[in-house]
């Protein structure tokens, strides 16, 4: 399929597809752009930048100042293009591949990680501390783990959608994790060894009470707490 023009009024692609074409035709791989430029290209389109971020699901790499320190906070870099999302056949093939994680496998990964994001520790449905209006949605991501012998292995992990979109290229290495574990005090080290043996973080009465409270509507939660001294 020939590459359509991003601004062709005859072309009926959605915002994500047109944003992909805009990046290729107006910005060019390796160059930076701002949210303002993207908004100006798609006037009246709500959340054009969010639709552009959806391209990461198709292998596009868009770096921000949190993934590349050379970038200013308002800048993003169109680092690498991925699947030609304007080509229906290529897009369907990519959707098939990403859908290859069955519900059964996904539920197993969620359970293994205690229904918590392995990156930030948030539980599914929990509100983000820095943005209480937004609650975590869990997803399964493929991660490349570096073993102690420096070879790599693909594993499936639970991640919230926020961490997934911001840190999709993040790879953990055994030496890095080792340094973190070595820094723990003896009590925390014993605790984490017990969690590792169980395959999950043990819940305390405090955790269980918090999980219960969290599941209540905010008004019920507040009312209940005023009743208990
Ligand atoms: Zn997270």
């Amino acid at each position: 399929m020939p590459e359509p023009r991003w601004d062709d009024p005859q072309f009926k692609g959605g915002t994500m597809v047109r944003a992909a074409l805009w990046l290729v035709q107006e910005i060019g791989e390796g160059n930076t752009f701002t949210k303002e430029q993207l908004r100006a290209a798609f006037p009246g389109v709500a959340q054009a930048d969010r639709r552009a971020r959806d391209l990461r699901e198709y292998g596009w790499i868009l770096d921000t100042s949190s993934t590349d320190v050379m970038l200013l906070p308002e800048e993003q870099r169109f680092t690498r293009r991925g699947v030609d999302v304007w080509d229906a056949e290529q897009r369907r093939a990519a959707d098939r591949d990403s859908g290859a994680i069955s519900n059964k496998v996904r539920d197993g990964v969620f359970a293994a990680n205690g229904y918590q994001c392995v990156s930030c520790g948030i539980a599914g449905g929990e509100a983000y501390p820095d943005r209480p209006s937004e609650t975590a949605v869990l997803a399964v991501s493929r991660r490349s783990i570096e073993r102690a012998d420096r070879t790599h292995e693909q594993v499936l992990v639970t991640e919230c959608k926020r961490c997934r979109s911001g840190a999709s290229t993040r790879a953990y290495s055994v030496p890095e994790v080792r340094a973190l574990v070595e820094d723990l005090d003896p009590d925390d080290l014993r605790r984490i060894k017990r969690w590792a043996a169980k395959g999950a973080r043990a819940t305390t009465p405090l955790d269980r009470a918090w999980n219960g409270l969290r599941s209540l509507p905010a008004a019920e939660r507040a009312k209940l707490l005023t009743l208990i001294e």
Side-chain angles (χ1 to χ4, degrees):
M1 176 177 175
E3 191 181 287
R5 282 290 308 172
W6 74 275
D7 54 356
D8 178 357
Q10 303 299 310
F11 176 61
K12 294 289 176 243
T15 305
M16 181 188 79
V17 171
R18 292 202 301 131
L21 292 164
W22 176 79
L23 285 168
V24 169
Q25 293 161 7
E26 298 292 326
I27 303 302
E29 222 168 302
N31 296 320
T32 60
F33 63 98
T34 64
K35 210 181 257 191
E36 283 313 312
Q37 281 177 285
L38 190 58
R39 282 205 199 111
F42 298 96
V45 177
Q47 301 185 314
D49 54 309
R50 189 173 283 210
R51 298 289 81 77
R53 284 203 299 274
D54 289 343
L55 286 166
R56 290 176 170 140
E57 304 274 327
Y58 294 94
W60 292 60
I61 299 182
L62 305 177
D63 279 306
T64 65
S65 57
S66 64
T67 53
D68 183 338
V69 292
M70 299 303 284
L71 292 170
L72 299 171
E74 65 273 20
E75 279 183 327
Q76 293 186 55
R77 182 182 292 108
F78 169 31
T79 303
R80 201 183 73 196
R81 73 188 259 180
V83 173
D84 292 353
V85 287
W86 49 88
D87 184 318
E89 204 169 301
Q90 282 203 39
R91 188 168 165 184
R92 263 199 306 277
D95 284 339
R96 260 199 313 276
D97 289 347
S98 66
I101 300 172
S102 70
N103 288 344
K104 197 176 158 194
V105 169
R106 201 188 53 200
D107 290 347
V109 174
F110 284 171
N113 296 141
Y115 299 91
Q116 287 176 319
C117 171
V118 297
S119 298
C120 68
I122 202 160
E126 191 175 354
Y128 289 99
D130 61 334
R131 204 180 295 170
S133 61
E134 196 186 329
T135 54
V137 176
L138 298 180
V140 169
S141 307
R142 287 187 172 80
R143 275 270 182 87
S144 174
I145 305 274
E146 187 184 14
R147 299 195 196 93
D149 65 2
R150 301 274 172 193
T151 57
H152 288 79
E153 176 185 10
Q154 292 279 323
V155 295
L156 296 175
V157 296
T158 304
E159 234 178 357
C160 71
K161 292 205 166 160
R162 184 161 131 177
C163 287
R164 189 178 171 175
S165 62
S168 54
T169 55
R170 178 97 171 84
Y172 276 82
S173 81
V174 171
E176 193 185 347
V177 176
R178 183 182 170 144
L180 291 171
V181 174
E182 277 175 347
D183 271 352
L184 295 175
D185 66 43
D187 279 347
D188 281 345
L189 183 60
R190 271 193 296 277
R191 197 166 291 141
I192 211 168
K193 281 185 175 177
R194 279 201 302 276
W195 294 352
K198 266 184 80 174
R201 178 178 165 155
T203 59
T204 63
L206 182 62
D207 289 326
R208 288 192 289 276
W210 172 238
N211 284 339
L213 279 174
R214 214 183 56 210
S215 71
L216 299 176
E220 290 296 326
R221 191 188 308 159
K223 199 165 88 187
L224 189 151
L225 287 172
T226 61
L227 296 174
I228 300 168
E229 280 297 319

